[in-house]
Amino acid sequence: QVQLVESGGGLVQAGGSLRLSCAASGRTFTSYAMGWLRQAPGKEREFVAAIRWSGSNTDYADSVKGRFTISRDNAKNTVYLQMYSLKPEDTAVYYCAANKVIYYSYQRWQYWGQGTQVTVSS
């Protein structure tokens, strides 16, 4: 089992920044790729970003490339999502997820956090 706890969400104006954190516990953190996915009201959960266990490879949705950065600190069992130039369309519940392999489909991720709300006002 892997337990994930997100933090750092909140309300921000368009153009602002936020950093989300996800603390992991349980099975060996470095065995897993980590991802951030989000779900806006009335929409399906979607892939945002992911990072492999070594931190050397990252992947992003086209909608956030150049604005969001995913990173991980294996010594702290924590993964981060730094978000810049936020837009109202980034408003969603952001979930941290863990899996052996990175998938774009949310249905393939094995472990999930409870989610943290990010609201971007215009």
Side-chain angles (χ1 to χ4, degrees):
Q1 288 287 343
V2 176
Q3 292 79 42
L4 304 171
V5 179
E6 303 98 333
S7 61
L11 173 65
V12 63
Q13 289 189 330
S17 302
L18 277 177
R19 188 176 83 155
L20 306 182
S21 299
C22 173
S25 60
R27 289 180 180 260
T28 306
F29 180 67
T30 54
S31 298
Y32 291 85
M34 300 297 296
W36 288 96
L37 298 91
R38 67 186 181 187
Q39 188 165 19
K43 294 188 177 181
E44 195 169 77
R45 198 169 296 190
E46 64 175 4
F47 174 85
V48 175
I51 186 167
R52 288 167 177 76
W53 70 269
S54 65
S56 60
N57 296 95
T58 57
D59 203 358
Y60 296 92
D62 288 342
S63 59
V64 306
K65 277 181 183 175
R67 299 189 298 121
F68 291 10
T69 301
I70 189 170
S71 61
R72 65 190 293 164
D73 185 337
N74 288 340
K76 295 182 178 179
N77 285 2
T78 302
V79 63
Y80 305 96
L81 185 68
Q82 179 67 56
M83 304 184 291
Y84 297 103
S85 302
L86 283 161
K87 304 175 181 180
E89 51 264 43
D90 294 318
T91 295
V93 177
Y94 282 71
Y95 296 90
C96 176
N99 201 59
K100 292 288 189 175
V101 178
I102 292 174
Y103 291 105
Y104 293 125
S105 171
Y106 74 92
Q107 296 165 322
R108 304 294 294 272
W109 289 81
Q110 185 175 11
Y111 299 107
W112 292 90
Q114 82 287 352
T116 185
Q117 177 71 47
V118 171
T119 302
V120 184
S121 63
S122 56

